[in-house]
Amino acid sequence: MSLTQIGENAKQACHKTRKLTMTEKNDLLKKMAYALVENKENLITENKKDLDAAEKNGMSKSLVDRLMLNEKRILDMADGLLKVAKLDDPVGQVLSMKKMENGLTIGQKRVPLGVIGIIYEARPNVTSDAAGLCFKAGNVVILRGGKEAIHSNTCIVTIFKETLAPYGLEHTIQLIEDTSRETAREMMRMNQYIDVLIPRGGAGLIQSVIENSTVPVIETGVGNCHIFVDESANLENATEIIINAKTQRPSVCNACETFLVHEAIAAKYLPSICRRLQEKEVEIRGDEKSNQIIKNIKLATEEDWATEFGDYIIALKIVKDIDEAIAHITKYSTQHSEAIITENYTNSQRFLDEIDAAAVYVNASTRFTDGMEFGLGAEIGISTQKLHARGPMGLKELTTTKYIIYGTGQIRN
Amino acid sequence: MSLTQIGENAKQACHKTRKLTMTEKNDLLKKMAYALVENKENLITENKKDLDAAEKNGMSKSLVDRLMLNEKRILDMADGLLKVAKLDDPVGQVLSMKKMENGLTIGQKRVPLGVIGIIYEARPNVTSDAAGLCFKAGNVVILRGGKEAIHSNTCIVTIFKETLAPYGLEHTIQLIEDTSRETAREMMRMNQYIDVLIPRGGAGLIQSVIENSTVPVIETGVGNCHIFVDESANLENATEIIINAKTQRPSVCNACETFLVHEAIAAKYLPSICRRLQEKEVEIRGDEKSNQIIKNIKLATEEDWATEFGDYIIALKIVKDIDEAIAHITKYSTQHSEAIITENYTNSQRFLDEIDAAAVYVNASTRFTDGMEFGLGAEIGISTQKLHARGPMGLKELTTTKYIIYGTGQIRN
C-alpha cells in the first residue's frame, strides 16, 4: 500500500475513531489483548523469522534479546493493553468553561490529537504499547518500526486489524511495511495526514527525525543526567541515590551520568562513594581535583561531561559551590532529569528554580522520571522538548484541546 | 553581530530572566512603555525612512498603512505593554502536586519556555507586542522582522535594550538586523539556542518556516472558516452572523469564507441572505444548485472551496443535511474556526463533537476567535496546529512546565 493511501485511510478512520465511546474503546482494547494471547503461537513463529535474520546479520546479544518474543512477553503485552483499558479516558474532559460579558459561553475541551506517527526501532512490544495508548486517547496511529522486527510487527498489527475490522475500524492502526529510509523520510513530510510524529529509539533516530520532519515532532529520550552532592548533604542518602541512579539500570535515559561534589566535603566523601561505585564495577572519570584525592580513577575529558554513557561509567567533578554546579549542569544537561542532594533549604529551592529540565529532584534518584512512577499509569515516551509535553507522556499528552463556544446569535463589534 | 553570538547572548540571558520576580518584570514593562513614548519623535523619524523606502519600491497602500507609525500608534504600543504588565503572571503556578506512595512529592510547575524566536513581516507593532508578551512570561526573545520595517524595528528594540541594560538584561530582547532569507533559514536551524519559533504573517512565510525549521514551530494563522445554516436555524441570527463573519473585517483569519445552507431552507433563505451580502458588495460564488435559485451570482470552482479569500468574496454550497455539511468542512477546513447555526439540539452537539477545529461555534460569529475576546488579555497569535497550543495563544501558551520532586532519600526498586 502506498504511503498516500495509508494517510488517506488514517484521515478517514479519524472521523470514526473520534466518535467511539469510552466503553467501546475499552472493550476493543480488551479484545485486542485477548487476540494477542489467542495468536501467540503464530506470533512466536513470525518472531522466529526476525530472530533468524538477526542471527544471520550478526546482531548483538542485547539487541536480539530486545527483539525476542516468548509466551511471557506476549502475555505482558496483552496485560499492558488491559491496563490501558482501565486508565481514565482524558478525551471529552472540559478543562474550563466560562460565561463572557456578551453572553457567549466559552469552554476548552480535551480531544484526540488525530493521526499520530510513531517511528521506532527493534522492539516489537512498542508496536502493541503505542497502538494501545494512541487508540485509548481516540487517535489513529501509523506505525513505522525497524526492519529487524518486521515479521513480528506485521503479525501484531494484523492481529489488531482483524480485531477491529468487524467494527469498521481496521485503519485505526496501520503499519508501514516498507522499512526503507526513503519511506521513513516521506512519512516525516506527510503534514497533510499526520498531526504529530513521535520517534522512539536512539539518539541517531531522533536526530534524523528532527532534521527531516516537517510534521510537528515530540522529541524524546536523550538524558545526560546529573546529581549534585551539596556541602550539607546527608551522605548516606547521597550514596544510595548515586548508586541507584547509576547502576540500577545504566542503559536508560534517566540514569545518572555525572555526579558533582561540593569541594568542602570532597576529601571526606569521595573515598567512600568511589569505593562503592567501584564495587559495582562502575568506571569513574574524574576532573583533576578528584584525581588528586582518589588515585585509581581515570581523568575525565571534555567529551565525558557531554556524554550519555548508558553504561557502567560515571563522570565526577568537584565544584566550589552551588553556582558552579548549576553552571556546569546548565552547560551540559540535556534537560531530562537533574538532582541535588542537600539539607540546605535555600539551595534546594534555588536548584528547583534555576535548573531548566523536565524533572528536577531534591534528595531522590533521577531514575523516578517515568510515567508509571509519576502516576500517569502508562508512558508513550519521555519528552525532552518544551512544547506540548515535557517529561513522561501519558494519555493526556496524546490529546489536544478545542474551544467550544455556545452562542445565542452573538456578532462581533 | 553573528547569529551564533545572538544565540549565545540569548542563552546567557535566560538564566537572568528566569530569576526576575513578577514585580520586577511588571516594573520593567512599564519602563519600556514610557521609553517608547519618550522616544516617539525619534521613532517617527526612523519609521519615515521605512516609509520612504516603501514608496520608492511601490509598496501597496494597505501595506504602507500597516507599516506607518504615528503618535497614536506609538501610544497604542505603549498602552499594550502597560496592559501586559497588568495581566496575571502564569510563571510559577503549580498545576498539580501530589504525594506518592513511596513518600515522593511530585508537582508540575509552569516555567518560561526559554528562548522564543519570532519571524514576522512588515508590522512594527509586532516588535513591541511580541517582545512584551515574551518578556512577561519570563522568556528571552529573538525577533526577525521584515526588511520593510527594519529602521522602525531597530529603533524599537534599541529603546527596549537601553531600558533593560542598567539591569543587565539587554540581551533579553534581540533583533536580527540582517533581513536576508539566508539568515532567516539559519535562524530556523538554531536548535541549540531557540526553544520555539513562532511565525506571524502570510501563508507563504508560515509555509517556509514549516518547510525549513528544525526548531519546533507553532503554526499560526491560516483560516478557511465555514458557517453552516441548518434547517432549523433562526434565520435572522444566521444572516447577522454571516454578514458579521464575512464583512466586519474580511482580511483576518477568523473571517468566514464559505457558507453552507441546508437544502430544505435554501429556496426560502438564499434570496434574502444573498441580497444582504450583495448590498455589502460581497461577491458570491455558489454551487450549481444555488445558481439555479439565485441568478446573479458566480459559479464556484473546486479551488474556491479551498481558498481563504481574505476579501469581499464568499463561497456558497447547498447541502443535503448535516452529514454533508460536516463532510465538506472536514475536507476543506484549515481547522481554525467553524460555526453551525441551528436550533436543533442533536445537530449542535454533533457539530461541536465531530468538527475538528481550534474553535467550534454554535450560533455565533467565527470572528470571536481572538485572545482578547476569549478573555486571555492578549494574544501572540492563533495556533492552527494541535501541539502545545490550539486557538488563541496568550501568556500561558508562552510557558512550559517542569516536574519538581521533593524526596527524602528515595531510590527506585
Side-chain angles (χ1 to χ4, degrees):
Chain A
M1 202 185 295
S2 76
L3 274 193
T4 308
Q5 189 57 52
I6 289 175
E8 283 290 345
N9 288 346
K11 269 280 174 228
Q12 294 297 326
C14 263
H15 203 57
K16 281 184 188 162
T17 313
R18 188 175 296 123
K19 288 202 258 185
L20 294 173
T21 64
M22 293 182 198
T23 309
E24 287 167 338
K25 288 190 288 188
N26 293 340
D27 285 348
L28 288 167
L29 282 166
K30 283 180 211 160
K31 288 199 168 85
M32 284 156 63
Y34 301 149
L36 279 183
V37 178
E38 276 163 27
N39 288 281
K40 62 177 191 264
E41 269 141 51
N42 184 14
L43 185 43
I44 287 170
T45 309
E46 291 301 307
N47 181 248
K48 185 74 169 49
K49 294 182 191 167
D50 289 330
L51 294 175
D52 289 346
E55 203 177 338
K56 219 176 275 172
N57 296 323
M59 188 188 270
S60 78
K61 242 182 169 174
S62 69
L63 281 179
V64 169
D65 180 63
R66 287 181 178 201
L67 184 56
M68 190 265 291
L69 290 178
N70 53 26
E71 182 161 346
K72 173 166 186 318
R73 287 187 177 180
I74 293 170
L75 292 180
D76 282 348
M77 277 164 48
D79 198 43
L81 293 173
L82 295 180
K83 277 186 184 142
V84 168
K86 280 190 196 135
L87 293 177
D88 274 347
D89 189 337
V91 172
Q93 188 192 354
V94 175
L95 305 176
S96 67
M97 185 167 282
K98 64 192 162 192
K99 192 97 170 182
M100 310 305 287
E101 286 180 21
N102 59 7
L104 283 180
T105 301
I106 301 182
Q108 204 177 12
K109 195 168 88 163
R110 213 176 265 298
V111 296
L113 272 171
V115 181
I116 299 178
I118 314 262
I119 299 191
Y120 54 108
E121 294 178 330
R123 301 176 87 127
N125 65 310
V126 172
T127 309
S128 174
D129 294 351
L133 282 166
C134 290
F135 182 79
K136 170 85 182 200
N139 297 294
V140 167
V141 67
I142 299 177
L143 300 160
R144 195 278 190 188
K147 67 174 183 304
E148 302 80 4
I150 186 65
H151 292 97
S152 314
N153 291 339
T154 305
C155 184
I156 294 168
V157 171
T158 303
I159 292 168
F160 290 164
K161 284 171 109 46
E162 284 171 359
T163 309
L164 296 169
Y167 309 91
L169 297 166
E170 64 276 20
H171 295 320
T172 300
I173 299 170
Q174 294 181 90
L175 178 74
I176 297 178
E177 296 187 21
D178 173 354
T179 58
S180 68
R181 256 162 207 263
E182 293 66 39
T183 307
R185 293 269 171 107
E186 206 184 322
M187 179 188 184
M188 295 177 205
R189 304 184 71 83
M190 285 170 71
N191 295 55
Q192 205 187 335
Y193 300 112
I194 302 180
D195 292 293
V196 53
L197 208 53
I198 306 177
R200 283 189 56 171
L205 170 72
I206 290 163
Q207 199 49 42
S208 157
V209 173
I210 291 169
E211 278 290 319
N212 296 299
S213 181
T214 51
V215 174
V217 172
I218 300 182
E219 195 178 334
T220 61
V222 180
N224 183 20
C225 306
H226 301 76
I227 294 174
F228 167 49
V229 184
D230 196 12
E231 183 177 6
S232 65
N234 174 323
L235 296 179
E236 272 176 53
N237 280 351
T239 299
E240 294 311 315
I241 288 168
I242 291 169
I243 296 290
N244 181 257
K246 179 72 263 179
T247 69
Q248 196 238 3
R249 212 170 148 201
S251 64
V252 292
C253 58
N254 55 20
C256 173
E257 307 295 357
T258 293
F259 73 111
L260 308 159
V261 175
H262 193 290
E263 64 176 12
I265 55 165
K268 179 177 100 185
Y269 181 54
L270 285 187
S272 70
I273 178 66
C274 290
R275 194 174 53 243
R276 282 289 303 276
L277 283 165
Q278 286 166 338
E279 281 167 15
K280 292 274 191 176
E281 303 197 359
V282 176
E283 178 186 317
I284 303 168
R285 301 184 184 174
D287 64 346
E288 286 194 14
K289 282 187 196 163
S290 59
N291 271 272
Q292 283 162 16
I293 297 170
I294 307 294
K295 295 301 170 195
N296 62 349
I297 61 174
K298 287 196 181 170
L299 194 62
T301 64
E302 172 64 25
E303 207 192 327
D304 287 327
W305 307 126
T307 300
E308 184 183 12
F309 300 113
D311 203 345
Y312 286 84
I313 303 170
I314 198 165
L316 157 63
K317 185 180 167 71
I318 295 175
V319 292
K320 200 164 87 256
D321 52 21
I322 187 172
D323 291 293
E324 194 183 344
I326 289 175
H328 178 94
I329 294 172
T330 300
K331 184 166 177 190
Y332 296 104
S333 167
T334 54
Q335 307 194 326
H336 190 298
S337 301
E338 307 294 348
I340 184 173
I341 317 299
T342 191
E343 293 299 311
N344 180 301
Y345 171 80
T346 300
N347 287 357
S348 72
Q349 295 299 317
R350 279 195 60 195
F351 197 85
L352 287 172
D353 280 350
E354 295 178 31
I355 292 293
D356 188 22
V360 189
Y361 293 82
V362 180
N363 295 339
S365 169
T366 54
R367 285 279 294 117
F368 285 107
T369 305
D370 173 277
M372 296 302 287
E373 296 291 335
F374 278 16
L376 307 184
E379 178 187 288
I380 190 96
I382 296 175
S383 164
T384 50
Q385 71 177 33
K386 293 179 178 179
L387 278 199
H388 187 70
R390 199 176 192 199
M393 296 187 287
L395 286 173
K396 189 161 72 73
E397 286 70 26
L398 294 177
T399 65
T400 181
T401 58
K402 70 158 86 151
Y403 280 100
I404 51 176
I405 301 102
Y406 295 90
T408 52
Q410 281 82 352
I411 59 171
R412 187 161 168 191
N413 297 319
Chain B
M1 201 185 294
S2 75
L3 275 193
T4 309
Q5 189 56 52
I6 288 176
E8 283 289 346
N9 289 346
K11 270 278 174 230
Q12 294 298 326
C14 263
H15 203 58
K16 281 184 188 162
T17 313
R18 187 175 297 124
K19 287 201 258 185
L20 293 173
T21 64
M22 293 182 197
T23 310
E24 287 166 339
K25 288 190 288 188
N26 294 340
D27 284 349
L28 288 167
L29 281 166
K30 284 180 210 161
K31 288 199 167 84
M32 284 155 63
Y34 301 150
L36 279 182
V37 178
E38 275 163 28
N39 288 281
K40 61 178 189 263
E41 269 142 51
N42 184 14
L43 184 44
I44 287 169
T45 308
E46 291 300 309
N47 181 247
K48 186 72 171 49
K49 294 181 190 168
D50 289 330
L51 294 175
D52 289 347
E55 204 179 337
K56 219 175 278 171
N57 297 325
M59 187 188 270
S60 79
K61 244 184 167 171
S62 69
L63 281 179
V64 169
D65 179 63
R66 287 182 179 200
L67 185 56
M68 190 265 292
L69 290 177
N70 54 25
E71 181 159 348
K72 175 167 184 317
R73 288 187 176 178
I74 294 170
L75 292 180
D76 282 349
M77 276 163 47
D79 199 42
L81 293 173
L82 295 180
K83 277 187 183 140
V84 168
K86 281 190 194 133
L87 294 177
D88 275 346
D89 190 338
V91 172
Q93 188 192 353
V94 175
L95 304 176
S96 66
M97 184 167 284
K98 63 193 164 193
K99 193 97 171 181
M100 309 305 288
E101 286 181 22
N102 59 7
L104 283 180
T105 302
I106 301 182
Q108 203 177 12
K109 195 168 87 162
R110 211 175 265 301
V111 296
L113 272 171
V115 181
I116 299 178
I118 314 263
I119 299 192
Y120 54 109
E121 294 177 330
R123 301 178 88 127
N125 65 310
V126 173
T127 309
S128 174
D129 294 353
L133 282 167
C134 290
F135 182 78
K136 171 85 182 198
N139 297 295
V140 167
V141 67
I142 299 177
L143 300 160
R144 195 278 191 185
K147 67 173 184 305
E148 303 80 4
I150 185 66
H151 292 98
S152 316
N153 290 340
T154 305
C155 184
I156 295 168
V157 171
T158 304
I159 292 167
F160 290 164
K161 284 171 108 49
E162 284 171 0
T163 309
L164 296 169
Y167 308 91
L169 297 167
E170 64 276 18
H171 295 319
T172 301
I173 299 169
Q174 295 182 91
L175 178 74
I176 297 178
E177 295 186 21
D178 173 355
T179 57
S180 68
R181 256 162 208 264
E182 293 66 41
T183 308
R185 293 269 171 106
E186 207 184 321
M187 180 188 182
M188 296 177 204
R189 304 184 70 84
M190 286 170 69
N191 296 55
Q192 205 187 336
Y193 300 113
I194 302 180
D195 292 294
V196 53
L197 208 53
I198 305 177
R200 283 190 54 172
L205 171 71
I206 291 163
Q207 199 48 42
S208 157
V209 173
I210 291 169
E211 278 291 320
N212 296 299
S213 182
T214 50
V215 175
V217 172
I218 300 182
E219 194 176 334
T220 61
V222 180
N224 182 22
C225 306
H226 300 75
I227 294 175
F228 167 50
V229 184
D230 196 11
E231 183 177 6
S232 66
N234 174 325
L235 297 179
E236 273 176 52
N237 279 352
T239 299
E240 294 311 315
I241 287 168
I242 291 169
I243 295 290
N244 180 258
K246 178 72 263 180
T247 69
Q248 196 238 2
R249 211 170 151 201
S251 64
V252 293
C253 58
N254 53 21
C256 173
E257 308 296 357
T258 293
F259 73 111
L260 308 159
V261 175
H262 194 290
E263 63 177 13
I265 56 165
K268 179 178 100 183
Y269 181 55
L270 285 187
S272 71
I273 178 65
C274 289
R275 195 174 53 244
R276 283 289 302 276
L277 283 164
Q278 286 166 339
E279 280 168 15
K280 291 275 190 177
E281 303 199 355
V282 176
E283 178 187 317
I284 303 168
R285 302 183 183 174
D287 63 345
E288 286 194 16
K289 283 187 195 164
S290 59
N291 271 271
Q292 283 162 15
I293 297 170
I294 307 294
K295 295 301 172 195
N296 62 348
I297 61 173
K298 288 195 180 170
L299 195 63
T301 63
E302 171 65 24
E303 206 191 328
D304 286 328
W305 306 127
T307 301
E308 184 182 13
F309 300 114
D311 203 345
Y312 286 86
I313 303 169
I314 198 165
L316 158 63
K317 185 180 167 72
I318 294 176
V319 292
K320 199 164 87 256
D321 51 20
I322 187 172
D323 291 294
E324 193 182 345
I326 289 175
H328 178 94
I329 294 172
T330 300
K331 183 165 178 193
Y332 295 104
S333 167
T334 54
Q335 307 194 325
H336 190 296
S337 301
E338 308 293 348
I340 184 172
I341 317 299
T342 191
E343 293 299 312
N344 179 301
Y345 171 78
T346 300
N347 288 356
S348 72
Q349 294 299 319
R350 277 196 60 195
F351 197 85
L352 287 172
D353 279 350
E354 295 179 29
I355 293 291
D356 188 22
V360 189
Y361 292 82
V362 180
N363 296 339
S365 170
T366 54
R367 284 280 294 115
F368 285 107
T369 305
D370 173 277
M372 296 302 287
E373 297 292 336
F374 278 17
L376 308 184
E379 179 187 290
I380 191 95
I382 296 175
S383 164
T384 50
Q385 72 177 31
K386 294 179 178 177
L387 278 198
H388 187 71
R390 199 176 192 201
M393 295 187 287
L395 285 174
K396 188 161 71 74
E397 285 71 26
L398 295 177
T399 65
T400 182
T401 57
K402 71 158 84 152
Y403 281 100
I404 51 175
I405 300 101
Y406 295 90
T408 51
Q410 281 82 355
I411 59 172
R412 187 163 168 188
N413 296 319

